[in-house]
Amino acid sequence: MLQMAASILIVYTGSYSGIMSVRPFDSSSAKILIPVVFFYNANVAFSLAGLQVLKIPIFNALKRLTPVMIIIVKFVIGDATPSRKVLYAVFTIVAGCFIAGIGDVSFDILGYSMALISCVLQTTYLTLVEKSGSDKGFNSNELLLYNATLSLPVLLILILGTGEAFAAFSAFEGLLTSSRFFFPLVVFSLIMGSLLNYTLFLCTLWNSALTTTVVGAMKGVVSSVLGFFILGGLKVTPLVVAGISMNTFGGIWYAVLKYYERKKRIHDPHYTKSGQNVQPILPTTTANLHMKFSK
């Protein structure tokens, strides 16, 4: 909830100072984006529930199934099908996920179910974000603002209803007096959380939902290593190591393929992107920079 409040403050501060381009908040746009907000918060809830049961390396491997689900959704709604090489890379991700799952001796059906439901929810909201940019013309600043504004009252009701707000207040009060680093770290985490959501929306608008899920999964490389050697708790078997390695390699392979595909299309004069009419994320665009330096 604090992160959503921080996001609103950051966007309005950026808009007031002229750094960010944001249209005035209106109810009609809010109604359009309600599904995005619902699936976003549901994804967060199921992800956190899955992480309470599963170890980070296994959870990361399962979350990399999201690109497969996005490919299926795009095929169903009639969007372009990825190239054969991209499909091979995604197949490698999936195969690695299943191999890691087979080698996980601490298999927990509840945790796996939570992670897979989270994949479905993430697929839905990223697809909606992509469509919101290409069809409705929202930019990432506006998506960040609407997501935070519409989520805030829902989260407030939840933490008040569950009693979490009062427990958190007591914990915060104690930590503020016992540690001088606590408050700066809270502020830092709020800023980083808002920046994470901003870049997630930005990547989805300018690339695709599929690219966001695969590139985002690259952070899983670091967190998986930390999960193995620092957090512990996962019994390392040859199948787990092989599966997570294959899963990670597939993600890197996909990212490289998409980079070269995009580079080729940018140099193709006949290439047009469905989302290229999206409003500028910042007031200074590439075109503005050319005009500025030409003067």
PDB file of all heavy atoms in Angstrom, residues 222-258:
ATOM      1  N   VAL A 222      19.918 -14.295 -10.896  1.00  0.00           N
ATOM      2  CA  VAL A 222      20.585 -13.819  -9.682  1.00  0.00           C
ATOM      3  C   VAL A 222      19.889 -14.359  -8.445  1.00  0.00           C
ATOM      4  O   VAL A 222      20.533 -14.886  -7.522  1.00  0.00           O
ATOM      5  CB  VAL A 222      20.609 -12.278  -9.652  1.00  0.00           C
ATOM      6  CG1 VAL A 222      21.242 -11.786  -8.355  1.00  0.00           C
ATOM      7  CG2 VAL A 222      21.368 -11.738 -10.845  1.00  0.00           C
ATOM      8  N   SER A 223      18.559 -14.224  -8.413  1.00  0.00           N
ATOM      9  CA  SER A 223      17.830 -14.656  -7.216  1.00  0.00           C
ATOM     10  C   SER A 223      17.897 -16.170  -7.033  1.00  0.00           C
ATOM     11  O   SER A 223      17.872 -16.659  -5.906  1.00  0.00           O
ATOM     12  CB  SER A 223      16.376 -14.179  -7.275  1.00  0.00           C
ATOM     13  OG  SER A 223      15.721 -14.675  -8.418  1.00  0.00           O
ATOM     14  N   SER A 224      17.977 -16.927  -8.137  1.00  0.00           N
ATOM     15  CA  SER A 224      18.110 -18.380  -8.013  1.00  0.00           C
ATOM     16  C   SER A 224      19.456 -18.746  -7.387  1.00  0.00           C
ATOM     17  O   SER A 224      19.536 -19.625  -6.520  1.00  0.00           O
ATOM     18  CB  SER A 224      17.975 -19.056  -9.379  1.00  0.00           C
ATOM     19  OG  SER A 224      16.670 -18.922  -9.888  1.00  0.00           O
ATOM     20  N   VAL A 225      20.512 -18.074  -7.826  1.00  0.00           N
ATOM     21  CA  VAL A 225      21.838 -18.332  -7.251  1.00  0.00           C
ATOM     22  C   VAL A 225      21.844 -17.987  -5.768  1.00  0.00           C
ATOM     23  O   VAL A 225      22.361 -18.742  -4.928  1.00  0.00           O
ATOM     24  CB  VAL A 225      22.916 -17.521  -7.998  1.00  0.00           C
ATOM     25  CG1 VAL A 225      24.262 -17.624  -7.281  1.00  0.00           C
ATOM     26  CG2 VAL A 225      23.050 -18.026  -9.431  1.00  0.00           C
ATOM     27  N   LEU A 226      21.257 -16.830  -5.430  1.00  0.00           N
ATOM     28  CA  LEU A 226      21.182 -16.442  -4.025  1.00  0.00           C
ATOM     29  C   LEU A 226      20.347 -17.449  -3.236  1.00  0.00           C
ATOM     30  O   LEU A 226      20.663 -17.775  -2.094  1.00  0.00           O
ATOM     31  CB  LEU A 226      20.570 -15.040  -3.897  1.00  0.00           C
ATOM     32  CG  LEU A 226      21.405 -13.883  -4.438  1.00  0.00           C
ATOM     33  CD1 LEU A 226      20.636 -12.577  -4.344  1.00  0.00           C
ATOM     34  CD2 LEU A 226      22.713 -13.775  -3.663  1.00  0.00           C
ATOM     35  N   GLY A 227      19.275 -17.927  -3.877  1.00  0.00           N
ATOM     36  CA  GLY A 227      18.426 -18.902  -3.209  1.00  0.00           C
ATOM     37  C   GLY A 227      19.156 -20.205  -2.922  1.00  0.00           C
ATOM     38  O   GLY A 227      18.951 -20.836  -1.888  1.00  0.00           O
ATOM     39  N   PHE A 228      20.031 -20.611  -3.845  1.00  0.00           N
ATOM     40  CA  PHE A 228      20.802 -21.849  -3.656  1.00  0.00           C
ATOM     41  C   PHE A 228      21.831 -21.702  -2.531  1.00  0.00           C
ATOM     42  O   PHE A 228      21.909 -22.539  -1.629  1.00  0.00           O
ATOM     43  CB  PHE A 228      21.540 -22.213  -4.949  1.00  0.00           C
ATOM     44  CG  PHE A 228      20.724 -23.063  -5.883  1.00  0.00           C
ATOM     45  CD1 PHE A 228      20.521 -22.663  -7.203  1.00  0.00           C
ATOM     46  CD2 PHE A 228      20.175 -24.256  -5.459  1.00  0.00           C
ATOM     47  CE1 PHE A 228      19.775 -23.448  -8.079  1.00  0.00           C
ATOM     48  CE2 PHE A 228      19.431 -25.053  -6.326  1.00  0.00           C
ATOM     49  CZ  PHE A 228      19.233 -24.640  -7.637  1.00  0.00           C
ATOM     50  N   PHE A 229      22.619 -20.637  -2.577  1.00  0.00           N
ATOM     51  CA  PHE A 229      23.805 -20.553  -1.729  1.00  0.00           C
ATOM     52  C   PHE A 229      23.624 -19.736  -0.446  1.00  0.00           C
ATOM     53  O   PHE A 229      24.388 -19.900   0.496  1.00  0.00           O
ATOM     54  CB  PHE A 229      24.970 -19.957  -2.539  1.00  0.00           C
ATOM     55  CG  PHE A 229      25.364 -20.803  -3.715  1.00  0.00           C
ATOM     56  CD1 PHE A 229      25.034 -20.436  -5.009  1.00  0.00           C
ATOM     57  CD2 PHE A 229      26.055 -21.991  -3.525  1.00  0.00           C
ATOM     58  CE1 PHE A 229      25.390 -21.220  -6.098  1.00  0.00           C
ATOM     59  CE2 PHE A 229      26.432 -22.789  -4.594  1.00  0.00           C
ATOM     60  CZ  PHE A 229      26.094 -22.396  -5.887  1.00  0.00           C
ATOM     61  N   ILE A 230      22.646 -18.835  -0.423  1.00  0.00           N
ATOM     62  CA  ILE A 230      22.482 -17.982   0.762  1.00  0.00           C
ATOM     63  C   ILE A 230      21.260 -18.386   1.583  1.00  0.00           C
ATOM     64  O   ILE A 230      21.350 -18.608   2.787  1.00  0.00           O
ATOM     65  CB  ILE A 230      22.380 -16.490   0.351  1.00  0.00           C
ATOM     66  CG1 ILE A 230      23.687 -16.052  -0.306  1.00  0.00           C
ATOM     67  CG2 ILE A 230      22.093 -15.625   1.569  1.00  0.00           C
ATOM     68  CD1 ILE A 230      23.682 -14.619  -0.781  1.00  0.00           C
ATOM     69  N   LEU A 231      20.105 -18.481   0.911  1.00  0.00           N
ATOM     70  CA  LEU A 231      18.876 -18.763   1.650  1.00  0.00           C
ATOM     71  C   LEU A 231      18.767 -20.232   2.025  1.00  0.00           C
ATOM     72  O   LEU A 231      18.221 -20.575   3.065  1.00  0.00           O
ATOM     73  CB  LEU A 231      17.655 -18.330   0.822  1.00  0.00           C
ATOM     74  CG  LEU A 231      17.622 -16.843   0.457  1.00  0.00           C
ATOM     75  CD1 LEU A 231      16.414 -16.533  -0.401  1.00  0.00           C
ATOM     76  CD2 LEU A 231      17.612 -15.985   1.714  1.00  0.00           C
ATOM     77  N   GLY A 232      19.256 -21.114   1.161  1.00  0.00           N
ATOM     78  CA  GLY A 232      19.251 -22.541   1.464  1.00  0.00           C
ATOM     79  C   GLY A 232      17.844 -23.129   1.486  1.00  0.00           C
ATOM     80  O   GLY A 232      16.878 -22.535   1.027  1.00  0.00           O
ATOM     81  N   GLY A 233      17.738 -24.332   2.047  1.00  0.00           N
ATOM     82  CA  GLY A 233      16.438 -24.970   2.202  1.00  0.00           C
ATOM     83  C   GLY A 233      16.019 -25.854   1.042  1.00  0.00           C
ATOM     84  O   GLY A 233      15.081 -26.633   1.153  1.00  0.00           O
ATOM     85  N   LEU A 234      16.686 -25.735  -0.101  1.00  0.00           N
ATOM     86  CA  LEU A 234      16.344 -26.549  -1.262  1.00  0.00           C
ATOM     87  C   LEU A 234      17.402 -27.635  -1.432  1.00  0.00           C
ATOM     88  O   LEU A 234      18.586 -27.334  -1.537  1.00  0.00           O
ATOM     89  CB  LEU A 234      16.283 -25.689  -2.530  1.00  0.00           C
ATOM     90  CG  LEU A 234      16.042 -26.441  -3.842  1.00  0.00           C
ATOM     91  CD1 LEU A 234      14.659 -27.093  -3.837  1.00  0.00           C
ATOM     92  CD2 LEU A 234      16.184 -25.492  -5.036  1.00  0.00           C
ATOM     93  N   LYS A 235      16.953 -28.884  -1.476  1.00  0.00           N
ATOM     94  CA  LYS A 235      17.885 -29.985  -1.670  1.00  0.00           C
ATOM     95  C   LYS A 235      18.301 -30.015  -3.133  1.00  0.00           C
ATOM     96  O   LYS A 235      17.479 -30.188  -4.033  1.00  0.00           O
ATOM     97  CB  LYS A 235      17.235 -31.313  -1.275  1.00  0.00           C
ATOM     98  CG  LYS A 235      18.216 -32.473  -1.313  1.00  0.00           C
ATOM     99  CD  LYS A 235      17.610 -33.755  -0.776  1.00  0.00           C
ATOM    100  CE  LYS A 235      18.628 -34.881  -0.802  1.00  0.00           C
ATOM    101  NZ  LYS A 235      18.069 -36.144  -0.270  1.00  0.00           N
ATOM    102  N   VAL A 236      19.586 -29.799  -3.373  1.00  0.00           N
ATOM    103  CA  VAL A 236      20.104 -29.710  -4.730  1.00  0.00           C
ATOM    104  C   VAL A 236      20.314 -31.106  -5.292  1.00  0.00           C
ATOM    105  O   VAL A 236      21.116 -31.887  -4.763  1.00  0.00           O
ATOM    106  CB  VAL A 236      21.427 -28.919  -4.768  1.00  0.00           C
ATOM    107  CG1 VAL A 236      21.945 -28.834  -6.197  1.00  0.00           C
ATOM    108  CG2 VAL A 236      21.229 -27.526  -4.199  1.00  0.00           C
ATOM    109  N   THR A 237      19.583 -31.420  -6.354  1.00  0.00           N
ATOM    110  CA  THR A 237      19.734 -32.697  -7.050  1.00  0.00           C
ATOM    111  C   THR A 237      20.202 -32.417  -8.474  1.00  0.00           C
ATOM    112  O   THR A 237      20.050 -31.289  -8.970  1.00  0.00           O
ATOM    113  CB  THR A 237      18.399 -33.466  -7.091  1.00  0.00           C
ATOM    114  OG1 THR A 237      17.462 -32.721  -7.890  1.00  0.00           O
ATOM    115  CG2 THR A 237      17.832 -33.644  -5.691  1.00  0.00           C
ATOM    116  N   PRO A 238      20.790 -33.415  -9.154  1.00  0.00           N
ATOM    117  CA  PRO A 238      21.233 -33.195 -10.543  1.00  0.00           C
ATOM    118  C   PRO A 238      20.108 -32.711 -11.453  1.00  0.00           C
ATOM    119  O   PRO A 238      20.331 -31.865 -12.315  1.00  0.00           O
ATOM    120  CB  PRO A 238      21.736 -34.582 -10.960  1.00  0.00           C
ATOM    121  CG  PRO A 238      22.160 -35.229  -9.691  1.00  0.00           C
ATOM    122  CD  PRO A 238      21.195 -34.750  -8.649  1.00  0.00           C
ATOM    123  N   LEU A 239      18.889 -33.233 -11.258  1.00  0.00           N
ATOM    124  CA  LEU A 239      17.763 -32.811 -12.098  1.00  0.00           C
ATOM    125  C   LEU A 239      17.385 -31.358 -11.845  1.00  0.00           C
ATOM    126  O   LEU A 239      17.048 -30.625 -12.778  1.00  0.00           O
ATOM    127  CB  LEU A 239      16.560 -33.723 -11.851  1.00  0.00           C
ATOM    128  CG  LEU A 239      16.597 -35.112 -12.502  1.00  0.00           C
ATOM    129  CD1 LEU A 239      15.375 -35.920 -12.099  1.00  0.00           C
ATOM    130  CD2 LEU A 239      16.678 -34.991 -14.017  1.00  0.00           C
ATOM    131  N   VAL A 240      17.425 -30.923 -10.593  1.00  0.00           N
ATOM    132  CA  VAL A 240      17.112 -29.536 -10.263  1.00  0.00           C
ATOM    133  C   VAL A 240      18.121 -28.598 -10.927  1.00  0.00           C
ATOM    134  O   VAL A 240      17.751 -27.589 -11.551  1.00  0.00           O
ATOM    135  CB  VAL A 240      17.088 -29.313  -8.738  1.00  0.00           C
ATOM    136  CG1 VAL A 240      17.078 -27.824  -8.408  1.00  0.00           C
ATOM    137  CG2 VAL A 240      15.866 -29.983  -8.124  1.00  0.00           C
ATOM    138  N   VAL A 241      19.408 -28.929 -10.791  1.00  0.00           N
ATOM    139  CA  VAL A 241      20.458 -28.090 -11.394  1.00  0.00           C
ATOM    140  C   VAL A 241      20.328 -28.079 -12.913  1.00  0.00           C
ATOM    141  O   VAL A 241      20.396 -27.013 -13.552  1.00  0.00           O
ATOM    142  CB  VAL A 241      21.849 -28.606 -10.981  1.00  0.00           C
ATOM    143  CG1 VAL A 241      22.943 -27.827 -11.714  1.00  0.00           C
ATOM    144  CG2 VAL A 241      22.036 -28.469  -9.473  1.00  0.00           C
ATOM    145  N   ALA A 242      20.114 -29.248 -13.517  1.00  0.00           N
ATOM    146  CA  ALA A 242      19.986 -29.334 -14.974  1.00  0.00           C
ATOM    147  C   ALA A 242      18.755 -28.572 -15.456  1.00  0.00           C
ATOM    148  O   ALA A 242      18.812 -27.844 -16.448  1.00  0.00           O
ATOM    149  CB  ALA A 242      19.901 -30.798 -15.403  1.00  0.00           C
ATOM    150  N   GLY A 243      17.651 -28.733 -14.743  1.00  0.00           N
ATOM    151  CA  GLY A 243      16.410 -28.071 -15.153  1.00  0.00           C
ATOM    152  C   GLY A 243      16.493 -26.564 -15.069  1.00  0.00           C
ATOM    153  O   GLY A 243      16.114 -25.854 -16.002  1.00  0.00           O
ATOM    154  N   ILE A 244      17.013 -26.050 -13.950  1.00  0.00           N
ATOM    155  CA  ILE A 244      17.122 -24.598 -13.780  1.00  0.00           C
ATOM    156  C   ILE A 244      18.145 -24.023 -14.758  1.00  0.00           C
ATOM    157  O   ILE A 244      17.956 -22.926 -15.295  1.00  0.00           O
ATOM    158  CB  ILE A 244      17.481 -24.254 -12.327  1.00  0.00           C
ATOM    159  CG1 ILE A 244      16.285 -24.594 -11.417  1.00  0.00           C
ATOM    160  CG2 ILE A 244      17.859 -22.784 -12.179  1.00  0.00           C
ATOM    161  CD1 ILE A 244      16.535 -24.362  -9.951  1.00  0.00           C
ATOM    162  N   SER A 245      19.229 -24.762 -15.034  1.00  0.00           N
ATOM    163  CA  SER A 245      20.229 -24.303 -16.015  1.00  0.00           C
ATOM    164  C   SER A 245      19.615 -24.219 -17.406  1.00  0.00           C
ATOM    165  O   SER A 245      19.807 -23.225 -18.124  1.00  0.00           O
ATOM    166  CB  SER A 245      21.427 -25.246 -16.021  1.00  0.00           C
ATOM    167  OG  SER A 245      22.053 -25.284 -14.756  1.00  0.00           O
ATOM    168  N   MET A 246      18.862 -25.254 -17.797  1.00  0.00           N
ATOM    169  CA  MET A 246      18.206 -25.249 -19.104  1.00  0.00           C
ATOM    170  C   MET A 246      17.162 -24.141 -19.179  1.00  0.00           C
ATOM    171  O   MET A 246      17.037 -23.434 -20.183  1.00  0.00           O
ATOM    172  CB  MET A 246      17.539 -26.606 -19.354  1.00  0.00           C
ATOM    173  CG  MET A 246      16.902 -26.752 -20.736  1.00  0.00           C
ATOM    174  SD  MET A 246      16.035 -28.320 -20.943  1.00  0.00           S
ATOM    175  CE  MET A 246      17.387 -29.468 -20.753  1.00  0.00           C
ATOM    176  N   ASN A 247      16.429 -23.965 -18.093  1.00  0.00           N
ATOM    177  CA  ASN A 247      15.411 -22.928 -18.001  1.00  0.00           C
ATOM    178  C   ASN A 247      16.030 -21.544 -18.191  1.00  0.00           C
ATOM    179  O   ASN A 247      15.516 -20.707 -18.943  1.00  0.00           O
ATOM    180  CB  ASN A 247      14.729 -23.054 -16.638  1.00  0.00           C
ATOM    181  CG  ASN A 247      13.603 -22.080 -16.435  1.00  0.00           C
ATOM    182  OD1 ASN A 247      13.852 -20.954 -16.047  1.00  0.00           O
ATOM    183  ND2 ASN A 247      12.385 -22.521 -16.659  1.00  0.00           N
ATOM    184  N   THR A 248      17.148 -21.304 -17.524  1.00  0.00           N
ATOM    185  CA  THR A 248      17.835 -20.009 -17.613  1.00  0.00           C
ATOM    186  C   THR A 248      18.427 -19.796 -19.003  1.00  0.00           C
ATOM    187  O   THR A 248      18.339 -18.706 -19.575  1.00  0.00           O
ATOM    188  CB  THR A 248      18.942 -19.933 -16.551  1.00  0.00           C
ATOM    189  OG1 THR A 248      18.366 -20.138 -15.259  1.00  0.00           O
ATOM    190  CG2 THR A 248      19.638 -18.571 -16.592  1.00  0.00           C
ATOM    191  N   PHE A 249      19.050 -20.844 -19.566  1.00  0.00           N
ATOM    192  CA  PHE A 249      19.622 -20.737 -20.908  1.00  0.00           C
ATOM    193  C   PHE A 249      18.549 -20.384 -21.930  1.00  0.00           C
ATOM    194  O   PHE A 249      18.774 -19.555 -22.829  1.00  0.00           O
ATOM    195  CB  PHE A 249      20.291 -22.054 -21.299  1.00  0.00           C
ATOM    196  CG  PHE A 249      20.717 -22.115 -22.743  1.00  0.00           C
ATOM    197  CD1 PHE A 249      21.842 -21.435 -23.175  1.00  0.00           C
ATOM    198  CD2 PHE A 249      19.982 -22.843 -23.672  1.00  0.00           C
ATOM    199  CE1 PHE A 249      22.233 -21.461 -24.506  1.00  0.00           C
ATOM    200  CE2 PHE A 249      20.359 -22.890 -25.001  1.00  0.00           C
ATOM    201  CZ  PHE A 249      21.484 -22.194 -25.433  1.00  0.00           C
ATOM    202  N   GLY A 250      17.378 -21.005 -21.804  1.00  0.00           N
ATOM    203  CA  GLY A 250      16.281 -20.689 -22.716  1.00  0.00           C
ATOM    204  C   GLY A 250      15.871 -19.231 -22.637  1.00  0.00           C
ATOM    205  O   GLY A 250      15.595 -18.592 -23.652  1.00  0.00           O
ATOM    206  N   GLY A 251      15.854 -18.681 -21.425  1.00  0.00           N
ATOM    207  CA  GLY A 251      15.504 -17.272 -21.260  1.00  0.00           C
ATOM    208  C   GLY A 251      16.517 -16.341 -21.905  1.00  0.00           C
ATOM    209  O   GLY A 251      16.163 -15.361 -22.560  1.00  0.00           O
ATOM    210  N   ILE A 252      17.812 -16.651 -21.723  1.00  0.00           N
ATOM    211  CA  ILE A 252      18.863 -15.830 -22.332  1.00  0.00           C
ATOM    212  C   ILE A 252      18.815 -15.953 -23.860  1.00  0.00           C
ATOM    213  O   ILE A 252      18.956 -14.961 -24.586  1.00  0.00           O
ATOM    214  CB  ILE A 252      20.242 -16.260 -21.800  1.00  0.00           C
ATOM    215  CG1 ILE A 252      20.333 -15.995 -20.289  1.00  0.00           C
ATOM    216  CG2 ILE A 252      21.362 -15.524 -22.532  1.00  0.00           C
ATOM    217  CD1 ILE A 252      21.589 -16.552 -19.648  1.00  0.00           C
ATOM    218  N   TRP A 253      18.609 -17.146 -24.352  1.00  0.00           N
ATOM    219  CA  TRP A 253      18.506 -17.386 -25.791  1.00  0.00           C
ATOM    220  C   TRP A 253      17.358 -16.575 -26.380  1.00  0.00           C
ATOM    221  O   TRP A 253      17.508 -15.929 -27.422  1.00  0.00           O
ATOM    222  CB  TRP A 253      18.294 -18.885 -26.034  1.00  0.00           C
ATOM    223  CG  TRP A 253      18.271 -19.315 -27.475  1.00  0.00           C
ATOM    224  CD1 TRP A 253      18.720 -18.607 -28.549  1.00  0.00           C
ATOM    225  CD2 TRP A 253      17.788 -20.561 -27.982  1.00  0.00           C
ATOM    226  NE1 TRP A 253      18.537 -19.329 -29.705  1.00  0.00           N
ATOM    227  CE2 TRP A 253      17.971 -20.539 -29.391  1.00  0.00           C
ATOM    228  CE3 TRP A 253      17.232 -21.695 -27.388  1.00  0.00           C
ATOM    229  CZ2 TRP A 253      17.588 -21.595 -30.202  1.00  0.00           C
ATOM    230  CZ3 TRP A 253      16.871 -22.757 -28.198  1.00  0.00           C
ATOM    231  CH2 TRP A 253      17.037 -22.710 -29.594  1.00  0.00           C
ATOM    232  N   TYR A 254      16.229 -16.592 -25.715  1.00  0.00           N
ATOM    233  CA  TYR A 254      15.079 -15.816 -26.186  1.00  0.00           C
ATOM    234  C   TYR A 254      15.414 -14.329 -26.259  1.00  0.00           C
ATOM    235  O   TYR A 254      15.106 -13.645 -27.247  1.00  0.00           O
ATOM    236  CB  TYR A 254      13.876 -16.025 -25.264  1.00  0.00           C
ATOM    237  CG  TYR A 254      12.728 -15.094 -25.571  1.00  0.00           C
ATOM    238  CD1 TYR A 254      11.748 -15.448 -26.489  1.00  0.00           C
ATOM    239  CD2 TYR A 254      12.648 -13.844 -24.967  1.00  0.00           C
ATOM    240  CE1 TYR A 254      10.714 -14.580 -26.799  1.00  0.00           C
ATOM    241  CE2 TYR A 254      11.621 -12.974 -25.270  1.00  0.00           C
ATOM    242  CZ  TYR A 254      10.658 -13.346 -26.183  1.00  0.00           C
ATOM    243  OH  TYR A 254       9.653 -12.475 -26.478  1.00  0.00           O
ATOM    244  N   ALA A 255      16.035 -13.800 -25.191  1.00  0.00           N
ATOM    245  CA  ALA A 255      16.354 -12.372 -25.147  1.00  0.00           C
ATOM    246  C   ALA A 255      17.265 -11.973 -26.305  1.00  0.00           C
ATOM    247  O   ALA A 255      17.075 -10.920 -26.929  1.00  0.00           O
ATOM    248  CB  ALA A 255      17.008 -12.033 -23.805  1.00  0.00           C
ATOM    249  N   VAL A 256      18.266 -12.817 -26.605  1.00  0.00           N
ATOM    250  CA  VAL A 256      19.187 -12.535 -27.712  1.00  0.00           C
ATOM    251  C   VAL A 256      18.442 -12.546 -29.048  1.00  0.00           C
ATOM    252  O   VAL A 256      18.626 -11.668 -29.896  1.00  0.00           O
ATOM    253  CB  VAL A 256      20.342 -13.560 -27.723  1.00  0.00           C
ATOM    254  CG1 VAL A 256      21.189 -13.399 -28.982  1.00  0.00           C
ATOM    255  CG2 VAL A 256      21.211 -13.391 -26.488  1.00  0.00           C
ATOM    256  N   LEU A 257      17.574 -13.539 -29.251  1.00  0.00           N
ATOM    257  CA  LEU A 257      16.804 -13.634 -30.491  1.00  0.00           C
ATOM    258  C   LEU A 257      15.921 -12.407 -30.698  1.00  0.00           C
ATOM    259  O   LEU A 257      15.870 -11.831 -31.794  1.00  0.00           O
ATOM    260  CB  LEU A 257      15.940 -14.898 -30.478  1.00  0.00           C
ATOM    261  CG  LEU A 257      16.660 -16.238 -30.623  1.00  0.00           C
ATOM    262  CD1 LEU A 257      15.684 -17.389 -30.413  1.00  0.00           C
ATOM    263  CD2 LEU A 257      17.312 -16.354 -32.001  1.00  0.00           C
ATOM    264  N   LYS A 258      15.239 -11.986 -29.637  1.00  0.00           N
ATOM    265  CA  LYS A 258      14.341 -10.837 -29.750  1.00  0.00           C
ATOM    266  C   LYS A 258      15.121  -9.547 -30.006  1.00  0.00           C
ATOM    267  O   LYS A 258      14.656  -8.656 -30.712  1.00  0.00           O
ATOM    268  CB  LYS A 258      13.489 -10.692 -28.485  1.00  0.00           C
ATOM    269  CG  LYS A 258      12.501 -11.831 -28.261  1.00  0.00           C
ATOM    270  CD  LYS A 258      11.503 -11.959 -29.396  1.00  0.00           C
ATOM    271  CE  LYS A 258      10.477 -10.853 -29.417  1.00  0.00           C
ATOM    272  NZ  LYS A 258       9.441 -11.045 -30.454  1.00  0.00           N
TER     273      LYS A 258
END
